[in-house]
């Protein structure tokens, strides 16, 4: 597209300077005459949300672009919070429309235009791919949307302009060197740090719903949890050489009991994170060692055994080079785009009324 526009359709026109200035003065005189005496509230009533040089952005444009977002907001928020969320959404849309208009105006100011042949081919592709070649169905859809054919053609041309200008001023200007990738890697090593992993198995018992009574050493009745007694019995059997997997199959109430209590590899953080109150108990154990009985606040007894360990390490650069390259390209593109749009704003007259 960029090459096509560069070679085939970007035409420069050089109008007489004095005529150009006169026309601009007439336009601004008209706009000033209309806008200056009108209060802010009246601006919104009249549907003017912004002026970009000599182009007006209306409330209809903003509302049409924001309606889907507003629909979602109304499903999740109410009252004052909804009011501010909707206002923020409309403001974001307005900023986007202003940027779009600045890009289009910059293209046209340079004398560029989109040929009718491109627009006709694009419409033909849409009718063929989205409407099965049925032009009547296509026209009917435009009618139901309240969109004229000319407006639809303008949208296609504007989209082509924005895509071409972004490619020319942002995408084609971003070149990433191996040094930048290596520098990003060194400055962000923590992002590529693999947490220590521990392969564990567990035995889980749920606390009894009701405590039991038994005679203590002094003959007095004491309250105890029979499930805790079972957990201590399991611990004794482990300490005297019983197999953890066999005990898990016999006693555990966990969903993994049939697998001998295997949990697999766990970490302290991230997707594989084990619950935080269990990690300290296994963090320093070596393979083959088990914890004491761990009582949790949500009503369980745990005994865990470490089966294997992987030390924390940094992922090699070559394994993440492609990932880093895409990240750097994205960051650089955002920076270039912001600089480009800032330069367009600096040369433009922009007045917002929202």
């Amino acid at each position: 597209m960029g090459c096509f526009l560069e070679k085939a359709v970007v035409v420069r026109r050089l109008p007489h300077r004095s005529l150009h200035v006169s026309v601009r003065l007439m336009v601004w005189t008209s706009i000033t005459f209309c806008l200056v005496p009108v209060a802010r509230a009246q601006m919104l009533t009249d549907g003017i949300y912004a002026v970009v040089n000599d182009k007006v952005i209306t409330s209809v444009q903003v509302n049409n672009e924001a309606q889907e977002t507003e629909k979602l907001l109304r499903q999740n928020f109410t009252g004052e919070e909804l009011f501010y969320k909707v206002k923020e959404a409309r403001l974001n849309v307005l900023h986007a429309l202003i940027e779009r208009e600045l890009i289009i105006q910059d293209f046209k100011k340079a004398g560029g235009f989109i040929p009718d042949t491109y627009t006709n081919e694009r419409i033909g592709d849409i009718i063929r791919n989205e409407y099965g070649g049925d032009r009547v169905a296509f026209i009917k859809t435009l009618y139901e949307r309240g969109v004229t054919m000319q407006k639809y053609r303008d949208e296609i041309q504007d989209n082509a302009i924005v895509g071409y200008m972004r490619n020319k001023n942002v995408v084609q200007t971003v070149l990433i060197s191996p040094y930048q990738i290596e520098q990003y890697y060194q400055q962000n090593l923590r992002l590529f740090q693999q947490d220590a992993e521990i392969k564990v198995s567990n035995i889980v018992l749920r606390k009894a719903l009701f405590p039991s009574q038994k005679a203590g050493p002094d003959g007095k009745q004491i309250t105890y949890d029979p499930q805790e007694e079972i957990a201590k019995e399991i611990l004794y059997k482990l300490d005297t050489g019983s197999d953890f997997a066999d005990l898990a199959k016999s006693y555990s109430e966990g969903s993994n009991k049939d697998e001998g209590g295997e949990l697999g590899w766990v970490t302290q953080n991230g997707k594989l994170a084990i619950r935080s109150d269990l990690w300290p108990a296994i963090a320093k154990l070596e393979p083959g060692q088990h914890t004491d009985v761990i009582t949790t606040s949500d009503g369980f007894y745990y005994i865990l055994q470490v089966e294997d360990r992987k030390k924390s390490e940094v992922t090699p650069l070559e394994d993440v080079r492609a990932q880093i390259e895409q990240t750097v390209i994205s960051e650089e593109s955002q920076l270039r785009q912001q600089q480009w749009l800032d330069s367009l704003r600096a040369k433009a007259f922009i007045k917002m009324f929202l």
Side-chain angles (χ1 to χ4, degrees):
M1 168 63 71
C3 180
F4 171 76
L5 290 171
E6 285 278 14
K7 295 180 179 179
V9 301
V10 177
V11 178
R12 295 187 177 276
R13 303 183 178 88
L14 299 175
H16 193 279
R17 181 174 180 83
S18 61
L19 176 61
H20 176 74
V21 172
S22 299
V23 171
R24 289 297 294 268
L25 286 174
M26 290 174 64
V27 170
W28 281 114
T29 301
S30 300
I31 292 177
T32 304
F33 177 78
C34 295
L35 299 185
V36 171
V38 185
R40 174 185 173 87
Q42 186 62 43
M43 287 291 186
L44 297 180
T45 302
D46 290 345
I48 300 175
Y49 273 9
V51 176
V52 183
N53 292 320
D54 54 359
K55 179 66 178 289
V56 170
I57 296 177
T58 68
S59 60
V60 173
Q61 290 174 272
V62 173
N63 293 341
N64 286 343
E65 293 291 331
Q67 62 182 351
E68 291 301 322
T69 300
E70 290 185 26
K71 187 183 298 182
L72 292 175
L73 291 174
R74 295 182 194 283
Q75 294 174 0
N76 295 281
F77 301 97
T78 58
E80 187 175 1
E81 187 175 15
L82 173 62
F83 172 81
Y84 286 109
K85 291 287 185 181
V86 169
K87 183 177 180 180
E88 180 183 13
R90 292 181 181 177
L91 192 59
N92 289 337
V93 167
L94 180 57
H95 283 301
L97 289 174
I98 290 173
E99 290 177 355
R100 180 180 174 86
E101 185 58 38
L102 287 172
I103 294 170
I104 294 170
Q105 289 184 15
D106 190 51
F107 174 83
K108 292 180 178 179
K109 183 179 178 181
F113 71 98
I114 306 296
D116 290 339
T117 52
Y118 168 82
T119 309
N120 294 336
E121 289 176 3
R122 180 70 185 120
I123 291 176
D125 290 340
I126 292 171
I127 294 174
R128 183 167 48 256
N129 297 329
E130 299 181 19
Y131 295 88
D134 189 343
R135 187 176 183 83
V136 174
F138 167 71
I139 297 296
K140 182 180 179 182
T141 301
L142 292 186
Y143 177 78
E144 291 173 349
R145 287 172 49 193
V147 177
T148 65
M149 177 58 78
Q150 185 56 52
K151 183 177 179 181
Y152 192 74
R153 294 177 66 88
D154 291 342
E155 288 178 1
I156 289 177
Q157 292 183 353
D158 288 349
N159 290 338
I161 290 171
V162 172
Y164 163 72
M165 293 292 280
R166 287 188 188 280
N167 184 65
K168 176 185 175 182
N169 293 279
V170 179
V171 177
Q172 293 182 6
T173 66
V174 176
L175 298 174
I176 304 301
S177 68
Y179 172 74
Q180 287 176 280
I181 295 176
E182 292 165 9
Q183 185 180 43
Y184 183 93
Y185 178 75
Q186 292 298 330
Q187 293 175 348
N188 297 275
L189 283 176
R190 57 182 179 78
L191 298 178
F192 310 105
Q193 182 81 31
Q194 295 180 349
D195 292 336
E197 295 184 24
I198 303 176
K199 190 177 183 180
V200 297
S201 299
N202 68 356
I203 295 172
V204 186
L205 298 176
R206 185 185 296 273
K207 286 185 178 182
L209 293 177
F210 303 100
S212 298
Q213 297 284 328
K214 68 177 181 178
D218 56 0
K220 294 182 179 180
Q221 291 291 308
I222 59 173
T223 300
Y224 76 103
D225 185 345
Q227 290 288 83
E228 184 177 16
E229 296 295 307
I230 295 175
K232 291 178 179 178
E233 179 184 345
I234 294 171
L235 187 63
Y236 172 77
K237 290 181 177 181
L238 286 172
D239 290 338
T240 55
S242 294
D243 182 71
F244 190 95
D246 291 341
L247 293 173
K249 291 177 181 179
S250 299
Y251 291 98
S252 182
E253 298 175 4
S255 60
N256 58 348
K257 64 174 296 182
D258 292 337
E259 291 76 42
E262 289 186 9
L263 274 182
W265 292 97
V266 299
T267 59
Q268 183 176 11
N269 303 296
K271 294 181 179 180
L272 299 178
I274 195 171
R275 49 186 297 168
S276 59
D277 52 356
L278 298 181
W279 177 263
I282 63 173
K284 296 182 180 180
L285 296 183
E286 295 299 323
Q289 295 180 329
H290 59 262
T291 67
D292 291 330
V293 177
I294 303 170
T295 305
T296 63
S297 59
D298 56 347
F300 291 92
Y301 300 109
Y302 280 87
I303 302 174
L304 298 101
Q305 177 166 286
V306 172
E307 309 293 349
D308 200 358
R309 299 183 66 97
K310 292 180 183 178
K311 293 181 179 179
S312 174
E313 60 182 14
V314 178
T315 304
L317 172 59
E318 290 310 311
D319 291 349
V320 292
R321 180 179 292 275
Q323 171 190 337
I324 293 175
E325 183 176 13
Q326 290 304 311
T327 299
V328 176
I329 288 175
S330 177
E331 292 180 354
E332 186 67 20
S333 296
Q334 291 178 14
L335 177 60
R336 295 290 179 89
Q337 176 166 293
Q338 192 60 52
Q339 292 172 341
W340 171 48
L341 292 174
D342 286 345
S343 70
L344 295 182
R345 290 190 190 92
K347 298 182 293 183
F349 173 86
I350 300 173
K351 181 68 174 178
M352 296 173 55
F353 302 100
L354 179 60

